[in-house]
């Protein structure tokens, strides 16, 4: 968490320092996050939302380098009930699992390639890589031994995973210093079979 705060403050400082610089831009990011994970702990969480900010630098007319921090949440969408015979697991007759949400911070660096056209709408492709800091909160399990109902236990898990992403978008030039972007990508975790697909609206103010 400390590293995330430090990185966020770094982005703010760089953004303030870029106010007098050409080719720098400040990004505000928000949108929908679709969870396409299969086969691990994130499977039980549904689609959520993402908000964040970033700093971009126009290396050329068509090439842009960006640094971004994004916070996301995904709600717990699956509850599981298991009935077992009393003799099977020390007289446990039932188990019940539920949870609340998964939250994550994405810190990443990206490279964007925009078409050369001078039209109002310009398509672009991008690649992105970085780290996901993911935490699942208040995953509860309650169980009953014969007629004695035991209280739930609170379980929290956290992990850090590297990821790579490839995506595409459309850039709408509203003013000479203001643009609105619509983009989507496939985020693939390196260490596990997790796939997240954000659909984001990005506002960029160029200095």
């Amino acid at each position: 968490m400390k590293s995330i705060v430090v990185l966020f403050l770094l982005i703010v400082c760089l953004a303030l320092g870029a106010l007098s610089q050409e080719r720098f831009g400040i990004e505000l990011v928000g949108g929908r996050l679709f969870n396409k994970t299969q086969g691990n702990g994130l499977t039980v969480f549904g689609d959520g939302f993402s908000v964040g900010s970033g700093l971009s630098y126009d290396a050329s007319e068509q090439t842009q380098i960006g640094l971004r921090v994004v916070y996301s949440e995904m709600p717990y969408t699956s509850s599981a009930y298991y009935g077992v015979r009393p003799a099977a697991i020390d007289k446990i007759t039932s188990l019940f699992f539920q949870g609340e949400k998964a939250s994550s911070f994405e810190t990443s660096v990206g490279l964007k390639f925009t078409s050369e056209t001078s039209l109002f709408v310009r398509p672009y492709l991008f690649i992105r890589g970085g780290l996901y800091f993911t935490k699942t909160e208040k995953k509860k399990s309650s169980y009953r031994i014969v007629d004695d109902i035991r209280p739930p236990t609170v379980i929290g898990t956290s992990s850090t995973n590297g990821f790579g992403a490839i995506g595409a978008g459309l850039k709408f030039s509203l003013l000479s210093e203001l643009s609105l972007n619509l983009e989507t990508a496939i985020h693939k975790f390196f260490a596990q079979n997790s796939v997240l697909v954000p659909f984001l609206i990005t506002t960029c103010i160029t200095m």
Side-chain angles (χ1 to χ4, degrees):
M1 179 62 71
K2 290 183 180 180
S3 61
I4 296 172
V5 173
V6 170
L7 185 56
F8 178 77
L9 292 176
L10 178 61
I11 290 178
V12 173
C13 292
L14 290 175
L16 293 176
L19 292 178
S20 60
Q21 305 280 337
E22 293 184 357
R23 291 186 168 183
F24 279 89
I26 300 173
E27 293 183 339
L28 298 178
V29 180
R32 187 74 166 161
L33 180 66
F34 298 96
N35 184 11
K36 301 301 181 182
T37 300
Q38 295 182 355
N40 65 41
L42 288 182
T43 305
V44 296
F45 295 95
D47 301 332
F49 69 90
S50 298
V51 292
S53 62
L55 180 66
S56 62
Y57 174 74
D58 293 332
S60 68
E61 184 67 25
Q62 289 80 40
T63 306
Q64 186 181 80
I65 303 169
L67 179 66
R68 187 177 287 182
V69 175
V70 179
Y71 172 78
S72 302
E73 278 190 11
M74 295 175 289
Y76 190 89
T77 57
S78 175
S79 60
Y81 176 86
Y82 303 92
V84 296
R85 293 177 296 178
I89 309 178
D90 193 24
K91 296 185 178 179
I92 296 178
T93 58
S94 62
L95 296 169
F96 183 75
F97 298 93
Q98 63 182 140
E100 290 194 359
K101 66 180 179 181
S103 57
S104 68
F105 277 96
E106 169 204 333
T107 59
S108 61
V109 176
L111 190 61
K112 182 165 66 176
F113 307 94
T114 307
S115 67
E116 298 183 9
T117 177
S118 59
L119 297 177
F120 168 70
V121 181
R122 301 173 65 186
Y124 62 84
L125 300 174
F126 64 90
I127 55 176
R128 185 172 293 278
L131 294 174
Y132 261 101
F133 304 89
T134 305
K135 180 181 180 181
T136 59
E137 299 179 1
K138 294 184 179 179
K139 184 177 182 181
K140 302 175 181 178
S141 62
S142 59
Y143 57 93
R144 181 163 61 101
I145 301 178
V146 189
D147 294 322
D148 180 17
I149 299 177
R150 300 298 176 91
T153 58
V154 179
I155 304 170
T157 61
S158 60
S159 62
T160 302
N161 294 282
F163 81 97
I166 184 170
L170 295 174
K171 177 181 179 181
F172 298 84
S173 299
L174 305 181
L175 299 171
S176 58
E177 297 86 12
L178 179 64
S179 64
L180 182 69
N181 301 332
L182 300 178
E183 67 180 42
T184 187
I186 298 176
H187 290 202
K188 179 68 171 67
F189 287 23
F190 296 143
Q192 55 180 272
N193 190 30
S194 293
V195 178
L196 301 178
V197 181
F199 183 83
L200 301 176
I201 299 175
T202 302
T203 301
C204 184
I205 303 174
T206 304
M207 304 300 173

